[in-house]
Amino acid sequence: MSSTPDATLEAPQAAAPVAAAPAAPAAPAAPSAPATPKRPRAPSRERTIGTKVAGQPAFVLHSYPYKETSLIIDLFTRDFGRVALIAKGAKRPHSQLRGVLQTFQPLSSSWVGKSELRTLTDAEWVGGMLPLEKTALLCGFYLNELLVKLLARDDAHPALFDHYVSTLNQLAHNEPASIVLRKFERALLKETGVAADLARCVETRRAVQADVTYVVDPERGPRPERAADPWPRVAGKTLLDMECENYEDIATQAQSKQLMRFLVAHHLNGAPLNTRQILIDLSQL
């Protein structure tokens, strides 16, 4: 939203009459160069970020200490995407924010500020979701790490926010973690614009064939395998199953796990995922 700065206009003051000596004839003025038109100023980033937001659905993705009594928190919000906020005094023993800013708990959040790092003014627990426990809790941290590392700040993804809520609910109700995570990973890559159509071959532009073995070029999409390909090989049936979110087949589950591990690693540009390594060690991912 834009704002118009206040301007104070001063009325010109009348000057007292002063007797002046006759001036010598002035030399003719040199012609002035034509004025260069000013280029319009591009709107600054601060002008594109709202100054006040109230009652925004949100989840805490990550937080870390700031000075002695405060926190910097990464919030995933429905209408503003991932935002960074200072929670002033949140570490104080009697702060109302101390027990509210917990991961995997739905919040109603409010903040003020124009810069990238804004100030949290209120956060209230909304409720209505079961807590995550054991392996489901670790899977939740994996989701949060993906969002922190793959989502740009201040980039709204309301459909992904809803998918995140649904995924947390599925994990809390002990639905198979491997299938729930595959669906979320695929949704995340789609929302960030880097997921290819798995049902169409990039070389022929024809539909993927279930009985053909493919590799997936992370920048383009599937194509038939070649002997020298270093990428994971997957059956056409697996790609078709993934495109329609059907993970009933054991082979689809196994191949989609390897494929998504490869694709996510590619789009992270080599950045490690700590929670994923733990889950791999536990044979759950």
Side-chain angles (χ1 to χ4, degrees):
M1 59 183 287
S2 62
S3 58
T4 305
D6 292 334
T8 303
L9 301 178
E10 296 181 359
Q13 296 179 355
V18 178
S32 58
T36 303
K38 292 186 178 180
R39 298 178 63 182
R41 241 177 123 182
S44 69
R45 181 175 178 79
E46 289 189 356
R47 290 174 183 262
T48 64
I49 298 176
T51 58
K52 185 175 182 181
V53 174
Q56 178 63 206
F59 286 84
V60 173
L61 296 178
H62 178 64
S63 66
Y64 52 92
Y66 178 70
K67 297 185 177 179
E68 293 184 0
T69 61
S70 302
L71 293 172
I72 291 181
I73 59 172
D74 234 330
L75 275 192
F76 183 33
T77 71
R78 191 177 193 282
D79 300 319
F80 295 85
R82 189 168 68 90
V83 297
L85 304 171
I86 299 175
K88 294 183 178 179
K91 291 167 58 181
R92 290 178 179 146
H94 302 295
S95 170
Q96 63 176 3
L97 296 174
R98 186 180 178 91
V100 174
L101 299 178
Q102 304 296 322
T103 51
F104 316 121
Q105 296 300 316
L107 304 176
S108 174
S109 61
S110 304
W111 64 81
V112 295
K114 293 182 179 181
S115 65
E116 246 186 83
L117 186 59
R118 282 147 277 182
T119 300
L120 183 72
T121 56
D122 188 37
E124 297 179 359
W125 180 62
V126 176
M129 293 181 66
L130 294 175
L132 300 184
E133 299 177 346
K134 300 180 181 178
T135 302
L137 180 62
L138 196 53
C139 289
F141 283 118
Y142 170 65
L143 300 180
N144 286 7
E145 190 175 6
L146 279 180
L147 291 171
V148 168
K149 291 183 175 178
L150 285 175
L151 280 189
R153 283 209 173 120
D154 301 303
D155 192 7
H157 294 281
L160 184 62
F161 182 89
D162 293 342
H163 200 122
Y164 177 79
V165 175
S166 174
T167 300
L168 293 182
N169 274 317
Q170 292 173 58
L171 290 171
H173 285 87
N174 297 316
E175 295 193 24
S178 59
I179 296 176
V180 172
L181 295 182
R182 292 299 81 74
K183 292 180 179 179
F184 184 82
E185 290 165 342
R186 181 84 177 129
L188 176 56
L189 295 187
K190 282 183 177 180
E191 277 291 316
T192 52
V194 297
D197 180 359
L198 297 181
R200 190 164 298 277
C201 174
V202 296
E203 291 185 343
T204 65
R205 303 311 303 164
R206 295 178 181 175
V208 162
Q209 302 298 307
D211 57 350
V212 175
T213 301
Y214 294 85
V215 294
V216 178
D217 183 326
E219 299 296 334
R220 299 178 62 214
R223 61 165 174 77
E225 66 169 338
R226 297 170 189 158
D229 283 330
W231 301 331
R233 288 164 168 77
V234 292
K237 180 181 182 302
T238 294
L239 298 177
L240 296 173
D241 285 347
M242 291 176 67
E243 196 64 30
C244 63
E245 296 192 341
N246 179 5
Y247 291 88
E248 294 180 0
D249 192 320
I250 297 299
T252 295
Q253 294 179 27
Q255 291 183 3
S256 64
K257 174 174 65 176
Q258 297 300 322
L259 177 59
M260 291 309 302
R261 185 182 301 176
F262 162 69
L263 293 177
V264 168
H266 172 83
H267 293 297
L268 284 170
N269 296 317
L273 283 168
N274 300 322
T275 46
R276 171 169 245 175
Q277 187 56 52
I278 295 172
L279 286 166
I280 290 173
D281 293 343
L282 293 174
S283 300
Q284 295 293 333
L285 186 59

